[in-house]
Each structure stands twice: as structure tokens, then as C-alpha cells.
Amino acid sequence: MSTVLSARDLQVRSGAGPIVTGVDLDLHAGTTLAVVGESGSGKSMVAKALSGLLPRGVHATGQVELAGAPLDLAGGERTWAPVRGRQIALLLQDPFTSLSPVHRCGPQVAAALPGTPDRAQRRGAVAAALAEVGLDPDVARRYPFELSGGMRQRVAIAAALAAGPQVLLADEPTTALDVTTQRAILDLIGELRTSRGMAVVLITHDLELARERADDLVVLYAGRVLETGPARDVMSRPAHPYTKALHEANPPLEHKVAALAVIEGNVPRPAQVAGRCVFADRCPKVQDVCREGEPALVDLGAGRGSACLFAAQELAAAPTAPELAPPVLGTDRAAPVVQITGLSKTYAGATTRALDDVNLLVGAGECVGVVGESGSGKTTLARCLVGLERADGGQIRFLGPLTPTGDPAGRPAHRLVQIVFQDPYSALDPALSIGATLAEALAVGGRPRTDVPELLDLVGLPATYARRRPHALSGGERQRVAIARALAPGPSLLVCDESVSALDVSVQAQVLNLLHELRARLGLSLVFISHDMAVVRQMADHVYVMLRGRVVEDGPTDQVLSRPAHDYTRALMASVPGRATQEQ
Amino acid sequence: MRLAASIGRRLVATATLLLALSFLVFSLLYLAPGDVARNLLGARPASPESLAAIREKFGLDQPFLTQYWHWLSGALTGDLGESVRSGSQVTDVLGQRVGLTLQLTVLAFVIALGVGAPAGIRAARRHGSVQDKTIVSLAVVGVAAPGFAVGLVLLYVFAVMLGWFPVYGTGDTPLDRLWHLALPAVALAAGLAALVVKVTRTAVLRELESDYVTFARARGLTPRAVARLYLTNAAIPVLTSAGLLLAFLFGGTILVETTFSLPGLGSLLAESITFKDIPVVQAVTLVVAVVISLAALAVDLLTLAVDPRVRRAGLT
């Protein structure tokens, strides 16, 4: 196992302060190192620093050795030109934006090929590069927008590897893809790593994915390494409270827990937590000594390291088994609040149906999960439910009485059903204060502005937040505001369209718990739309599986997820990261 | 098939637009203050007989739409009526003037794109540098300064003080013509070039920040190869706005041709407005409208050629 790249004391700084501090990495040929972290951990900056692509005003320092020769991180184009592509390549997250939209795929792959003068030779080389990633040669003549997300990412991989790098930095390479595609792309990266003897750095927010795909992992938090070691050991016996908490906050796929473990608060900026343990403010086991200095990464043997003062105790502690939720034997579907029958929708100019004869029922107080990949029609269904789209055929019937308070039926639809969207950053008007946003929503329900503090309290935010604007809030806080806004008119049914998928794992758990709590407290019914099977397992009583606009399977969540009847559901379950290793 | 249908729809839309414009242009006759017959008589003495003759000749006693139809069918066959001022055919008057304006605008357009686009690209590449700031400041001045003012300065410095260029006249041989049109073309191009700088700079900046540029650099593509990628992408918004800029250019010719005493369409329009020569005003307006509509059409067709996504989805 030869070391291709080693970095010591890697630092990334901008004018505003440090971004990444004191990171050591060793990359070995033919192995994968996962860099795991939430947003703001600095994981992408590590990748950018190692490819010389830091944004203007951001600088990196540290001793880096690449294939036995020193590499100057602060070097100019002359230093990096022979390195990029030929020795280190970077693969980006979003295959929809990482290729030029107006150029054909062939030339984009060929551009990075080492000089081949002859046209026929070049075409042959492109075909070979495409074949290596499992694509037909005729993809070379297609434009990126003519390909699916998975195919685009394959083209991008072919382009990244065209010049034969020894190191592939893959920055969340599958986050923008569907689960089934995700698996295929990760398999491909694994195969290429072995066949080419490359070192792969897999940058991800997903612990399960890291466990499944990486040999070693580095856990980053607020720009600091908190834990390192062989991936499976770290995951089965974490030696840092953060790793443990992150692992526990991850919703399990196999069973439903009574309540998800949460990490309170938000990921801090590195500058805010300098000179002490960066996790101290959110650590359940924090001691005074944790804030007195910055704990160094301690060698625990067996290739493991932890930056916790109490690493030995952490390592010795038996893993805590989460409390399981009582089995749901079936919910009351006899008295539905919403009944959808034969719903169909075809968008203008589309050749396939977005919704094709969909039947769906939501019982009173029930949480109904809708799962499916992109293009399955789940978002169209949500938009039809709240009246943002008009179905071509079929019926949506809201049935009363709808709330425990016994409101009469016949209220306007917007008071019956509300929606929470995926992206909390674009869902709130940046020019309005939180209070104004909520007051506006309250007015729709005929409630006074003075109810704003009560509404904020309902979603666990202090009343002082009413004066703030969205940009001063974290992603999780914004999503809480979005939920409060949806609740303001007093709906009976809340539609959550991928409402937690843009959030970090630790924050996602907080929001999921909040939704659970609100459901119990307000007697809400929920339609919970998600691509994430583990999240659906935690939330839904009854689940519908959608494929190309049709419902292919439905039933109690436990039954559908544990004993799927349809091939597609089985494929979805098998593709969930971490699933394979858990079964071994 | 879809592409052909899309181009067909665009052609129909252009034709409809031109029809609507011609209607507006014809309405000019009635929108002008005063009695129509008197206006059409111009400076000639208005006796009851001559007014009656004019009414008879132009069919002013017929319904509005009938008059419009007469005028339109005339215009389509190249008969735009007689000039009130000179009495000669409007088409002949236009014919004498149109060549010069065409040469002037094409020259200005070439200068504006030739100077503006490279300057915009350079500013975007050196974003935040002194060069960028200088180019942007110059562009602001260029947008703000009226063409005739720039023209006066150019005339004073290069024609009067230095004597490098002629003060007036149009030149005889092609080269001589170029020499005569140089200063007016620069005056006309100044504002346009400034707009091109702004559009190009914004477009290139946006492309430079996109993922595919980062990815291209990460793959070790040469700066030249990377530039080829983002410049093709940035060309799309620049092209789209170029059509609009052409309209801007025609507005400018009126003042610039007057400043440099050039006998083009612009100065013709100015003179005709002064003399209330409504048939000529109508004709010039119509020509400008046709040119701008055709330019917009050309831009759309060019977008089709450059952007495969539009080719696939069809023009909107």
C-alpha cells in the first residue's frame, strides 16, 4: 500500500478567519478515505485546497507531498497546471452543472486527454474512456441535457479521469442523484479505484455511506478533525461524542425509534469556537476542562485517533441501543381526511404522465409517506393537493370533521391543507421579518398578529425571532419558521415535500422530532414526501411507493419496508447506503 | 420537425408584429396635431380647391381602415406615396439616404462589438482589479454621454484641432467613405460599446462562477480550452441583447447624422419631422421597424444555432 499523497497541518483561511485547521491526511493507492462532515465543517474546502481551486481571498498552507515530491499549496498556475487532472482530479456534486451545457460530451471528455493529434485516435480514446464508465460511444455526440443525472455523472467521471490522475477527490458525488443511481455511481468509483490503483477521497455528509464505501474516515467539524480511523471501527465504536451523536441522529432504516437522538444547536463557525473543544457547546458530556483549551488528536492505537479529552471512556462505553417505538398495528383509515381517486396529470408538452391514476387516502391524525425517485410524480401530487397545480382528471376530496376541535367542513381549502417545501433558503421572503411573514399567514386564517409569539413557541423558537430576517437564521431555524407559517391558518393536513432533505443530519433529527410532536399536539394529519426510506420509516404510518406517476405499492410502513412486495420497492430498499454492510 | 415548426411560428410572429407596427405607423397621420389634409399640403397655400384635391387624392373621406388598406397595399408594392416637401416619390427619397445610414450603423455596430466585447471579457477575467474598475467606469461614462456630445468632442479634437478627419461630407471612393464615416461611427458606437461591455462582463462573470468552469480547471484543461467553454456559453446572452442594442443604434443616428451633417435616414427623419412631411416620417419609421424586427428574428435564429437546448425545446 503506497502513499500517494500526504498532508500535514493543512490550514485553510480567509480574511474572515480560519476555515480548516490542522488537518492531516494520508491517501493510499487503491483505497478510499472518507471525509465526513456537516455543512460548514470545511470538507469541501479541503478538496478545493488539494486541487488548487480555492476561491479568491481564501488561502491554504501546510506540508503536502504528492508522489514523493513536495507540493506548494499556495503555488500559482505554474505549480498546479501539471498537477490538476494528471495527478489530482476533482469530481463535483452536481452533474447537472458540472458539464458545459452547450458543448457535446465527446469534446468535453477529450479536452482533458493528453495530446492526441489524430482525429480517429482521439475518437477511439473518447470511446474507450466512455466504455470504462459504462457508456455507449454514441454518448460522445450527445449534449449533457439529453442525458439522465446518472449518465452525466458517468461522463463527468470519464472526463475527470481522462488524464489518468492518481488521486480522485469526489465531493459529494452522488448527493444530487436518486438512490438507485447513487449506488451504481459509487460502485463505479469503487471499481475504477481498484482497476486504476487510484486513491479516492470521498467527501460526504452521510456517515452510512462513508461506512459502506471507505476504508478510513476523517470526521470534520467546524474545520477541525474530531476523529479518524478505519471506517467500520469508527462507526461501530465511536471515540468522540460528536461521531456518536451524529450516528445516533441518523434515522435507522430497519426499525422505528421512539424519538431520534438530536444534537442541540447548530454547527458553529470555526472562529466562534477557537481555543477550546469545537464541539463543547453541543456536547452532552461537556466538562469545564473542555473549554480551557483545544484538545489535540490523541492516538488510540489501531490506526484510530480522537480529539476528545475523554476519548478512552468514550471508546470503552458500550454503544447505547435506542429505545424502539411501540409497533404501529395500523392506523385509523376508516375516517379519512383526504381521499384522492384516479388523479391524473400530464404537463403541457410532456410525453409521459406526471400522475397516472393515483389513489391515496389519509386517515385522521395519520402520517402518510410517499416515496419515490425524481420524476415519480410525488411533488406533482403534493402540488395538486395544495392547489398549486390542477389535475387533468380524478378527484381530491377533503372530508370532515377535520380537527379534534371539530371545525365544520366547508372551510376554504387553504385553511384545510398547507405545505412545507424543501429548501428553507428560498421558501421565506428575504425582505420580510419573521414576524411579518407569520403575521401575514395568520391573517389568512383570520388570526391576530399577537399570535406570533405563540406560533414561534409552537415550533420551539424564542419570541425574539419575530424581529429577525431570514438571513440571520440557520437552515433548521428557517425550516421551523416555514412550518410555523404553514400552521398559522390552522390546517388539518400538512404536506411536507422533502422538508428535511436539505438539512444536516443533526438538524434533520430536530425537525423530524418537532413534526412528530406537532402531530400529537395538534392532531394534524401529515403527507410526508421523501426520497429517504430511513426518514419515511421514522415518520410514516402508511406508505405509498410511486414510480413514473403511478402508485406501485402501498401498505403499513413496517410491512412495505420490511417485506416489500414490488420489485421497485425492493430495489429502493437495497440501494440505501449502509444497507449492504449492515446485512453482512 | 419540431425545429421547423418552431422557426415557422417565429416567422408568423414577426409578420404579425410588422402588421401591427404598420398600423401604428399609419395612425401617425391622424395622431399628428392639426387637420390631416392641411398637414399633407405642407407649406403649399391651402385653398379650398387644393384641400379638396388632397382629400380626393389620399381618399381622406373614406373609412380609416380602407385608407389603411390602400396605404398598406401601396407600401407592400413599394409605393409609399409622395413627399409633402419635395413632391418626389418617398421611395426615391429613401433610396438616396438609406445606403449611408446602413454603412454608418454597420460600422458602428462592428466597432461597438469589436471594442465592447473584448473589454467586457477582460473586465470579467480581472474581476475586482484596477483594470476592471477602469473599464466599468469608462462604460458608465459611455452610457451616460449622448452620441451628439461625443460627436462634437470628436469633431473638435480630431477634425478641427488635429485635422486628421474631415469635418463634413460623405466621401466618393469606398476608402474615402470609410474615412468620412469614421468619426460619426465612433460617436454612435460609444454608447453602444458601453452597453456591450456591461452585458458581456455580467455574462462572462456568471459563467466563470459556474461549476463546469471549476470542473474544467480541475481536470487540467489549458486556460485556452477553459475559455472556449465559457465564452461559448457567455455568447448566448450577449447575442440576445445585441438585437435590442440595434434599436438603440437607430435612435442614435438621428443626432449623430445631424451633428456631422450626413445625409442619411436619421437626418431625413429629423428634417421631415420639422417640415411635417408625414409620408416620409411614416416611411422612415416603417423601415426602422422592419430592420429592428428582422434583427430580432436574426438573433433568435442565431440563438438556435448556438444553444442546443433551445434547438431541442423550440423558441418561445
Side-chain angles (χ1 to χ4, degrees), chain B residues 68-102:
Chain B
Y68 168 61
W69 176 246
H70 277 305
W71 178 78
L72 184 66
S73 43
L76 285 175
T77 54
D79 175 15
L80 287 162
E82 281 171 20
S83 164
V84 172
R85 194 155 54 109
S86 62
S88 48
Q89 282 290 311
V90 171
T91 23
D92 293 343
V93 178
L94 280 185
Q96 293 158 14
R97 304 287 198 113
V98 78
L100 185 75
T101 300
L102 213 61

Side-chain angles (χ1 to χ4, degrees), chain A residues 480-533:
Chain A
R480 283 171 191 266
V481 173
I483 292 171
R485 180 178 59 181
L487 293 176
S492 326
L493 176 69
L494 197 61
V495 178
C496 298
D497 187 6
E498 297 277 9
S499 304
V500 296
S501 53
L503 304 175
D504 279 320
V505 178
S506 67
V507 179
Q508 170 183 290
Q510 293 172 10
V511 174
L512 289 177
N513 285 347
L514 173 70
L515 285 171
H516 249 308
E517 206 184 294
L518 290 171
R519 210 183 126 194
R521 215 155 114 192
L522 306 173
L524 277 176
S525 305
L526 241 58
V527 171
F528 194 87
I529 292 169
S530 180
H531 70 283
D532 188 331
M533 306 299 271

